[in-house]
Amino acid sequence: MSELFDFALALGDDALIAAQRLGEWTSRAPEMEEDIALANIALDQLGAARLLLTYAGELEGAGRDEDALAYLRGDREFRNCLLVELPNGDFAVTMAKLFFLAAYQLPLYTALSGCADERLAAIGAKARKESAYHLDHGSLWVKRLGDGTDESHRRMQDAVDQVWPYTHELFTADPAAPVDPATLRADFDAVVSAVLDEATLTRPADGWAPGGGRAGVHTEHLSYLLAEMQVLHRAHPGAKW
């Protein structure tokens, strides 16, 4: 049961922190349509986070609901991958993060929809449809920027180079999990290679591979993100609206 709790918590934390980061683009995106699109993707991630954290709380059996898990844990208690907590940077960095995350989440949720756990299977079946849109959206922007002007190409390549090392943590083997992340790597690589080729971008060489997020070891960026995300709940514990 502990393994199932850890798995649901990690996926829920990925989605929650991704939602918070994408929400920072509200009113700041380069186009009005993109402003709405990023807000919708953030809401999709938040919806998945709510389902996963609610289930994680039930599995834990300690009386913690989705709000307690989201707002009353410190950074060392979060199990999200480092990729989602990285600052947004410029628009190219955000699109690189979105693209890589969606290229991982789509095969993950697809595999999850067929797992033996009925709750996780239902969550996977719902989330995979949303992840397909996220992947399409991120792919279009990577290709648009990569195969655009000299300046947009440079920025998109820089973003891919910057974010790429953080993708390796996503595929750390966990044979006991409902879906072993290591089994998703081939699908991820195929999608990423095809999009980068079309975008006239170069896939970075594998080398430095930061990790630790699944064990609660994070970058300094997560602490600042949580301070902003949790401040109201902590300032007014138990408040009712």
Side-chain angles (χ1 to χ4, degrees), residues 98-145:
L98 174 62
F99 170 56
F100 290 142
L101 181 64
Y104 155 74
Q105 286 183 328
L106 180 55
L108 168 67
Y109 288 136
T110 299
L112 201 62
S113 67
C115 79
D117 186 282
E118 292 184 358
R119 285 283 292 278
L120 287 177
I123 294 170
K126 179 181 184 298
R128 68 178 176 179
K129 301 172 185 176
E130 298 165 345
S131 293
Y133 164 69
H134 303 169
L135 180 58
D136 182 60
H137 190 81
S139 299
L140 287 173
W141 272 109
V142 169
K143 289 184 281 190
R144 181 177 176 181
L145 296 174

Side-chain angles (χ1 to χ4, degrees), residues 1 5 50-66 69 119:
M1 189 62 69
F5 165 73
R50 293 189 64 187
L51 294 172
L52 287 160
L53 292 180
T54 294
Y55 188 38
E58 294 172 10
L59 290 168
E60 183 185 36
R64 293 198 290 183
D65 61 8
E66 59 178 288
L69 288 171
R119 285 283 292 278

Side-chain angles (χ1 to χ4, degrees), residues 36-52:
I36 296 170
L38 290 179
N40 282 332
I41 294 173
L43 287 172
D44 287 344
Q45 293 282 11
L46 184 60
R50 293 189 64 187
L51 294 172
L52 287 160

